[in-house]
Amino acid sequence: MPILTVDGKTVEVPAGANVLQACEAAGVEIPRFCYHERLSIAGNCRMCLVEQEKAPKPIASCAMPAADNMVIRTNTPLVRKARRGVMEFLLINHPLDCPICDQGGECDLQDQAMAYGFDQSRYQENKRAVSEKYMGPLIKTTMTRCIQCTRCVRFATEVAGVEEIGAIGRGETMEITTYLNQAVTSNLSGNVIDLCPVGALTSKPYAFAARPWELKKTESIDVHDALGSAIRVDARGAGVLRILPRLNDDVNEEWISDKTRFAVDGLAKRRLDRPYVRVNGKLQPASWDEAFAAIGAALSSTPASRVAALAGDLADAESIKALKDLMTAIGSTSTDCRIDGAKLDASVRASYLFNSGIAGIEEADALLLIGSDPSTEAAVLNARIRKRWLKGGFKVAAIGPKVDLTYRADFLGEGADVLEALVAGQGFAEVMKGARKPAIIIGQGALSREDGAVILGLAHKLAEATGVVKDGWNGFNVLHTAASRVGALDLGFVPGEGGLSVGDVEAGKADFVWLLGVDEIDMTNLKAPFVVYQGSHGDAGAHVADVILPGAAYTEKSGTYVNTEGRGQRTKRAVFPPGDAREDWAILRAFSDRVGKTLPYDSLAQLRVKLVEQVPHFAALDEVTPAAWAPFGSDGEISPAAIGYAIENFYLTNPIARASATMAECVAVKQETACGCGHSHGATGTHG
Amino acid sequence: MSHGVAPAGPFEQPASFEFSAENKVWADKIIARYPAGRQQSAIVPLLDIAQRQSGGWLPRAAMEYLAGLLGMAVIRVYEVASFYTMFNMAPVGKHLVQVCTTTPCWLRGSDAVLAACKSRLGIDINQTTPDGTFSLMEAECLGACVNAPMMQVNDDFYEDLTAETTLKVLDALARGETPKTGPQIDRQTSCPEGGPTTLTTFKAAGE
């Protein structure tokens, strides 16, 4: 623990810290461009120069390890002059195009030029210009603005694990590019936009849309995967314009996936903004009264045993609770949230949680993936696994088809029999037994099979046999793909005594089906039953609906979501829902009144009190309540079929993403890349 | 390409590349110099072999081949190849003329050498003659300052040049001959002009 002096103040910093961190510990801000806490140190921008006693010249504080008895000064004439000099050099080849630059107003270079720069330029020569590069449909490049900090190169190489961005050429002709201007393939690529300290890499879909000071910023939670990444929703007027990550070291550090960031345009497209009722086979616009009347009539003519309700992937816990209460009032036990048919057991909480916690992955020293591809199911988690892998002493094995996980994994095979062999103590089970903190991640691809419960049982056996669960460590992890799932399971939104399951509804065994944002099930047998679709987008569920009730999307309501770890978090309303759309719990509450089964809450606050009454840990927001280990899963025969992965197309997993033009473009680019024809897929002249 | 010599005209990237058997042996020998897991260190000599095999330039296929051979990302190979001016990303002329214009050569008259090259070949710096025989490049110090000014043609140095001797060298190359390499005046290697040429004949001042 080195102790050093910064501007006369004595600070103690952890061993391995650098001088820049020591300065921050002393409360001194050091300007920087290339240095970033979560990336390796490059030391090439020179903006962080400080004076060290007995050193012959200023030192780059990011690249200098803090040592005992150092005397650092950051406010001397020498330091000020050094900063001015560095800034003058950086601005030599930087264009003065701030008025037309999307980074304007949130630009490190702009801010630091104001704070630390020289007031004029002595440069008379021509500035260099760099041709624009193509990095895919998400990243807009204006490479003339690049100051070669190489943050993007380091992010792609280290965090995202795709060595696709590099610096070619040398000296003044050095340029940042991808090989042959190919699109960056990572699902985390958008983060380079945040990392870029200047306007060289900006968001393509958000180009020229707004200035940062025009935006209303709302801190919220992401629902595109089950991680619940911390996000900031930037809106202007009624429209959400962009989504940025917030810091949350326990969940997403400071990264978000491309779907989280760029599916935002889907929030404004294909929206259900008024109720509809099917009349003579065609959906007609209707009033809330007419819609409720139609549902009430259908409900009264259906026996409670034939009434079912399903909760979709994006539903918040409040509306799930309201729907559950409504079904109980009606007398139906047919509720289900396991849209993908996963054989999850709602009675044992440890059986459906990511028990080690997302940050806990960094402690693990062996990992077995069972039917889970984290790079598509939870891209940010995948970066965390890679981070652990890069530290070394971490063995990864996987059961499932071979994919590029960005870290080395032994693919043991695709069949469920591989898991049986592991339970018998063979192969990778030895590695897990030898590990101090072994972990298992089981994906929905393994659990949504017919024999999912058996696989869950096998995983339980394996966990017990290999020390995955021990004192102070529970490495049994279920990785969900839906933001709503854990909350719904906590609320027991599964079939009760004699209740119908998702599979039964798909088979047409229900006569009245309430779909709360459910679009991912097989709809072929839902033409005959009376279907109520309550949701935000006109997707598959709305097509078969007899009544459509327009709901609010996650940016338009305050809703509680429990992430795959069991961490309850709350979204905040950034904008109002479009048209007649309402918050989902309020729709259910209003309808309950119409059919004489009034739900016992009149406000969101009252509903949340009931929520906590039923499930106490809903009171502890942003925290994880550890779940007790208990037996779960079942014994039986496993099917010889190969275990697949839950997500076929990362960009199209939910109605918001499917409505997004940006996501559609990503899919198109990915297909072109996959075609391997080697042609450039640039502008065609007819591309719009 | 952001730097380097422009080709004579449009050209095609070969679809594939593979070391010849002979070069593969050579490459393996170089790779074996580095400990396991550090094979990437061999990239520069391997790029050189690939460039020689491809006739003086590096096709993309060669870079992709080397990336596979050394287990590194193609962009990393591309970074190295584009960093060094000795690697050409497009076909260059049969004779790549590199005229040194760094201070010692410039003081000794490299301007005249370069002007002679330009007028004889009819091209400017970083260009290739339409027939693909010559490419002209300006080079930084090539380490033959003792015999300045000088130029390098492919692997050979031509030193102690004047405008006239430069033209002679180029004419000989154009005729398909191999001119005498090294000093183009009466000088033995890098010895003082006019002798002595050995230490035994050397007489210190005042002796």
Side-chain angles (χ1 to χ4, degrees):
Chain A
M1 301 282 278
I3 300 171
L4 60 163
T5 316
V6 178
D7 292 345
K9 199 168 162 187
T10 307
V11 286
E12 188 174 356
V13 292
N18 56 31
V19 172
L20 193 150
Q21 286 166 327
C23 292
E24 289 196 329
V28 180
E29 188 191 63
I30 303 291
R32 85 289 300 264
F33 294 111
C34 71
Y35 175 75
H36 192 276
E37 295 83 358
R38 296 181 208 278
L39 302 175
S40 64
I41 292 165
N44 53 11
C45 78
R46 316 309 290 178
M47 195 62 206
C48 65
L49 293 176
V50 296
E51 194 178 344
Q52 184 195 344
E53 202 174 87
K54 294 187 187 126
K57 53 186 182 176
I59 57 163
S61 59
C62 71
M64 175 69 84
D68 261 329
N69 304 321
M70 268 184 169
V71 179
I72 303 294
R73 291 196 194 88
T74 68
N75 52 5
T76 60
L78 176 84
V79 173
R80 277 195 288 278
K81 198 175 170 206
R83 284 174 182 166
R84 275 189 200 151
V86 169
M87 183 58 82
E88 200 176 346
F89 272 119
L90 285 172
L91 292 177
I92 274 182
N93 276 322
H94 191 81
L96 294 172
D97 63 349
C98 302
I100 56 157
C101 174
D102 256 340
Q103 193 85 352
E106 50 185 3
C107 174
D108 288 356
L109 191 64
Q110 213 175 27
D111 295 348
Q112 292 181 31
M114 275 297 289
Y116 305 104
F118 198 48
D119 59 353
Q120 56 180 290
S121 171
R122 293 172 289 186
Y123 187 69
Q124 302 290 333
E125 290 76 11
N126 286 333
K127 285 178 181 257
R128 91 182 177 144
V130 183
S131 62
E132 280 177 25
K133 304 286 181 284
Y134 177 77
M135 288 196 184
L138 303 176
I139 306 167
K140 180 173 184 271
T141 68
T142 312
M143 297 319 276
T144 304
R145 296 179 188 143
C146 177
I147 59 168
Q148 279 118 23
C149 71
T150 67
R151 275 187 188 179
C152 53
V153 179
R154 283 174 283 146
F155 174 83
T157 307
E158 294 160 15
V159 179
V162 291
E163 285 193 80
E164 290 170 354
I165 305 181
I168 61 158
R170 65 194 291 182
E172 202 189 19
T173 59
M174 180 172 146
E175 296 180 3
I176 303 288
T177 184
T178 53
Y179 182 64
L180 306 180
N181 280 333
Q182 285 162 351
V184 182
T185 57
S186 171
N187 291 340
L188 291 167
S189 67
N191 292 297
V192 298
I193 296 165
D194 294 337
L195 285 172
C196 184
V198 297
L201 306 179
T202 52
S203 168
K204 213 177 237 180
Y206 174 71
F208 309 128
R211 285 299 189 188
W213 55 83
E214 304 170 332
L215 300 169
K216 195 182 95 187
K217 300 164 182 82
T218 312
E219 300 197 339
S220 190
I221 296 299
D222 172 52
V223 299
H224 287 282
D225 56 35
L227 293 184
S229 301
I231 56 167
R232 194 185 88 193
V233 181
D234 284 6
R236 188 179 57 189
V240 176
L241 292 186
R242 64 171 177 179
I243 289 190
L244 297 176
R246 282 188 296 131
L247 288 183
N248 187 348
D249 274 328
D250 292 331
V251 179
N252 59 319
E253 298 182 278
E254 59 182 282
W255 320 123
I256 51 173
S257 76
D258 287 350
K259 189 165 50 185
T260 301
R261 186 187 299 266
F262 293 109
V264 62
D265 62 326
L267 287 166
K269 297 207 175 80
R270 284 205 237 157
R271 286 305 298 268
L272 301 170
D273 56 358
R274 60 191 310 172
Y276 287 86
V277 174
R278 197 176 287 278
V279 181
N280 300 330
K282 283 197 90 168
L283 284 166
Q284 305 287 353
S287 68
W288 282 102
D289 272 341
E290 290 160 1
F292 283 167
I295 303 171
L299 197 56
S300 61
S301 63
T302 313
S305 61
R306 305 283 287 177
V307 174
L310 305 181
D313 290 352
L314 305 182
D316 54 301
E318 287 84 356
S319 55
I320 293 169
K321 163 83 175 151
L323 185 56
K324 172 94 180 160
D325 289 349
L326 178 65
M327 285 298 131
T328 311
I330 290 167
S332 164
T333 52
S334 304
T335 55
D336 206 348
C337 65
R338 298 162 303 181
I339 299 308
D340 47 12
K343 305 292 177 289
L344 290 160
D345 181 357
S347 61
V348 183
R349 194 159 189 255
S351 76
Y352 61 84
L353 286 191
F354 201 95
N355 290 297
S356 74
I358 293 164
I361 286 294
E362 290 189 40
E363 292 170 35
D365 49 0
L367 175 65
L368 174 67
L369 298 166
I370 306 171
S372 175
D373 171 12
S375 69
T376 56
E377 291 163 29
V380 175
L381 171 70
N382 203 52
R384 186 82 79 145
I385 301 174
R386 176 175 162 80
K387 184 180 173 191
R388 173 67 193 87
W389 178 76
L390 284 174
K391 275 191 217 149
F394 183 58
K395 289 222 169 78
V396 187
I399 303 175
K402 250 190 175 154
V403 285
D404 179 15
L405 292 168
T406 72
Y407 39 87
R408 191 176 303 130
D410 291 332
F411 284 86
L412 306 174
E414 297 183 18
D417 53 321
V418 180
L419 184 59
E420 277 186 319
L422 287 177
V423 173
Q426 294 166 9
F428 195 73
E430 295 291 333
V431 177
M432 292 172 72
K433 268 179 213 162
R436 274 189 321 108
K437 291 186 170 180
I440 292 174
I441 294 179
I442 182 159
Q444 304 306 305
L447 297 176
S448 55
R449 293 152 50 105
E450 273 309 305
D451 58 352
V454 184
I455 290 186
L456 192 64
L458 284 172
H460 182 269
K461 275 190 204 130
L462 181 66
E464 299 218 314
T466 55
V468 167
V469 183
K470 54 178 91 166
D471 218 18
W473 174 251
N474 186 344
F476 182 85
N477 298 324
V478 176
L479 180 58
H480 290 273
T481 54
S484 72
R485 197 76 83 243
V486 173
L489 290 167
D490 281 350
L491 288 165
F493 205 86
V494 287
E497 198 76 31
L500 303 172
S501 69
V502 169
D504 296 329
V505 172
E506 280 177 322
K509 288 185 190 164
D511 293 333
F512 177 100
V513 183
W514 192 297
L515 299 177
L516 180 61
V518 179
D519 297 286
E520 285 80 17
I521 58 170
D522 179 10
M523 302 282 179
T524 41
N525 291 326
L526 287 179
K527 297 239 162 63
F530 188 86
V531 175
V532 178
Y533 180 82
Q534 179 183 355
S536 56
H537 283 71
D539 209 89
H543 290 169
V544 296
D546 294 289
V547 175
I548 291 174
L549 303 175
Y554 72 107
T555 49
E556 296 151 8
K557 63 185 170 192
S558 170
T560 308
Y561 290 88
V562 185
N563 81 350
T564 191
E565 302 168 283
R567 184 189 304 274
Q569 304 184 105
R570 207 162 273 171
T571 60
K572 284 206 190 100
R573 178 162 64 209
V575 293
F576 284 94
D580 277 347
R582 293 288 180 270
E583 293 182 27
D584 292 295
W585 78 269
I587 296 170
L588 289 156
R589 165 67 181 72
F591 175 73
S592 69
D593 200 37
R594 282 292 299 265
V595 290
K597 314 266 186 206
T598 311
L599 296 173
Y601 21 80
D602 299 330
S603 68
L604 196 55
Q606 287 175 11
L607 169 51
R608 282 179 178 154
V609 170
K610 297 278 179 205
L611 203 60
V612 174
E613 268 173 29
Q614 187 188 342
V615 186
H617 61 245
F618 272 108
L621 283 185
D622 303 324
E623 282 170 36
V624 175
T625 317
W629 188 247
F632 54 78
S634 59
D635 291 322
E637 284 290 306
I638 52 161
S639 128
I643 294 178
Y645 297 130
I647 293 183
E648 214 167 289
N649 195 330
F650 167 75
Y651 297 111
L652 301 177
T653 52
N654 62 53
I656 302 173
R658 283 191 290 269
S660 159
T662 311
M663 292 292 103
E665 204 174 329
C666 288
V667 174
V669 166
K670 201 145 230 175
Q671 278 164 354
E672 280 175 0
T673 312
C675 84
C677 64
H679 297 126
S680 77
H681 294 287
T684 57
T686 52
H687 65 290
Chain B
M1 190 49 51
S2 58
H3 77 284
V5 179
F11 65 98
E12 289 231 333
Q13 291 279 351
S16 67
F17 176 91
E18 204 172 340
F19 274 146
S20 62
E22 196 181 331
N23 282 342
K24 185 74 176 65
V25 174
W26 188 8
D28 285 341
K29 216 175 267 177
I30 292 167
I31 295 171
R33 286 179 198 159
Y34 302 98
R38 296 275 185 274
Q39 289 81 4
Q40 301 177 357
S41 305
I43 188 64
V44 171
L46 262 57
L47 280 169
D48 181 53
I49 298 173
Q51 173 158 303
R52 284 166 195 280
Q53 186 179 317
S54 309
W57 69 291
L58 273 175
R60 280 175 203 159
M63 288 189 273
E64 282 153 20
Y65 169 76
L66 289 182
L69 192 66
L70 299 177
M72 57 200 287
V74 196
I75 183 76
R76 294 283 104 87
V77 179
Y78 193 49
E79 283 179 329
V80 173
S82 64
F83 182 87
Y84 292 102
T85 52
M86 298 81 171
F87 295 122
N88 304 306
M89 301 294 180
V92 293
K94 189 174 151 211
H95 305 292
L96 175 60
V97 181
Q98 304 180 62
V99 180
C100 173
T101 56
T102 308
T103 317
C105 281
W106 177 68
L107 287 169
R108 298 277 295 151
S110 67
D111 282 351
V113 176
L114 191 59
C117 289
K118 284 184 188 174
S119 66
R120 167 64 182 80
L121 304 176
I123 52 173
D124 212 331
I125 291 165
N126 287 342
Q127 289 181 350
T128 302
T129 53
D131 62 354
T133 318
F134 287 98
S135 287
L136 182 60
M137 254 176 95
E138 196 178 23
E140 297 305 329
C141 185
L142 290 165
C145 314
V146 170
N147 296 2
M150 61 79 66
M151 66 182 186
Q152 181 181 352
V153 180
N154 295 346
D155 286 340
D156 295 323
F157 276 17
Y158 298 93
E159 299 149 358
D160 290 314
L161 293 169
T162 59
E164 291 75 42
T165 48
T166 303
L167 290 177
K168 267 189 205 161
V169 170
L170 293 178
D171 286 337
L173 288 168
R175 286 192 301 270
E177 298 164 13
T178 312
K180 173 182 153 301
T181 60
Q184 300 299 308
I185 57 170
D186 183 25
R187 185 209 290 271
Q188 183 174 326
T189 62
S190 301
C191 300
E193 203 179 329
T197 56
T198 63
L199 281 174
T200 54
T201 60
F202 175 73
K203 285 197 173 54
E207 248 182 81

